[in-house]
Amino acid sequence: MSVVSDAQIEQIREFNRFYTHLLGLLNEGLFKSQYNLMEARIIYELGEVEHLVASQLGQMLSVDAGYLSRVLNKLVKAGIISRMPNSQDKRQSLLSLSAVGEVARVDLRQRSIEQTAQLYNDIDPSQSNKLVTAMAKIQTIIAPQNTAPKTYILREPEVGDLAYIAHRQSVLYELEYGFGNAYEAVISQVVADYIDDYDAKLEKCWIAECDDKIVGSIFCVNGGDGVAKLRLLYVDPMARGMGLGGRLIDEVVKFARKKHYQKIEFWTVDCLDAALHLYQKIGFEHVSSQPYGDFGSHLNDGAGINRQDWQMIL
């Protein structure tokens, strides 16, 4: 039996109709181009992965083989797609974009960007952040296995990165937990102190990036007396489920050991369940708890949240 009520189903169907109409997905030409939705998707996928066979393309698009064959034949005749012999399976040709097809792909991408900008440029920036986060949540809830970026890199922070981290984490934790401006003040101060007092020999910040977007970060700060402070672990919703949080914490532990710190300390709050699980799994010990109302007094039906202190002896 479905856990979704009839009223919720109708609301979902109404949103689907609204968004389909908004994007013009049923128009004869997608983005006012000469290609319909299926043709545009095929051009996009062949631009992402060169030399696919029809069966692979059908699986990626979840489309009937007969219908796909007709669309492919049309695009081949139009000179958009090239067919090449497949040495591994002579029954299926290798498909790729021709030079004309590559031009079409670039044009479709630009049209998509322009349409998206036109649709959302008039939205207030604070609302657009909420919108994008909500879209990421929809992806994560409906198909979590498909939403995490495949690869990421860790790098040093560049100018503007730390301000972005403070902004993004403030917005995210307001949306997910309702922490408000008090939390923004806390992390902004952490970032400002790091910039003002940065010691390159004993401190470090890691930025996680995927597809030119910041998707995570963490800091290791000198707390004095042989203590390293772990600060501001952040993993964007679109990067969750790929092991990034654990990797960032591991980097802090390795760095602290390399710099001969005696222990790592940090504090957090008890509603961040996923992060708490990671800390415990990696070997941190929960030391103490106490009520903390600075940005969570309204949570848990007014009961608030608790501050937790953790440490790892190195």
Side-chain angles (χ1 to χ4, degrees), residues 9 14 17 24 27 33 39 52-53 76 101 120 134 154 159 161 167 175 204 213 233 249 259 264 268 276 294 311:
I9 289 173
E14 181 180 349
R17 291 192 296 270
N27 293 346
S33 72
E39 293 164 350
L52 290 171
V53 297
V76 169
Y120 300 115
L154 297 184
V159 174
D161 285 348
H167 160 76
L175 290 171
K204 189 169 182 178
K213 298 177 182 177
L233 171 64
I249 298 170
K259 298 301 179 180
I264 304 172
T268 184
L276 296 178
D294 284 11
Q311 70 175 17

Side-chain angles (χ1 to χ4, degrees), residues 185-214:
V186 170
I187 64 174
S188 296
Q189 189 62 57
V190 170
V191 169
D193 289 344
Y194 180 82
I195 295 172
D196 289 341
D197 304 327
Y198 175 60
D199 182 345
K201 294 181 179 179
L202 295 174
E203 299 180 328
K204 189 169 182 178
C205 170
W206 292 260
I207 302 292
E209 184 178 283
C210 178
D211 295 333
D212 298 322
K213 298 177 182 177
I214 294 176

Side-chain angles (χ1 to χ4, degrees), residues 12-51:
I12 292 170
R13 294 180 66 224
E14 181 180 349
F15 177 82
N16 289 342
R17 291 192 296 270
F18 157 75
Y19 204 58
T20 299
H21 174 73
L22 182 68
L23 297 182
L25 297 182
L26 300 182
N27 293 346
E28 185 175 353
L30 186 67
F31 310 135
K32 298 181 180 179
S33 72
Q34 60 181 302
Y35 306 104
N36 61 33
L37 176 60
M38 179 54 62
E39 293 164 350
R41 282 298 311 277
I42 290 172
I43 292 170
Y44 170 80
E45 296 297 347
L46 289 177
E48 291 292 301
V49 183
E50 193 176 8
H51 295 155

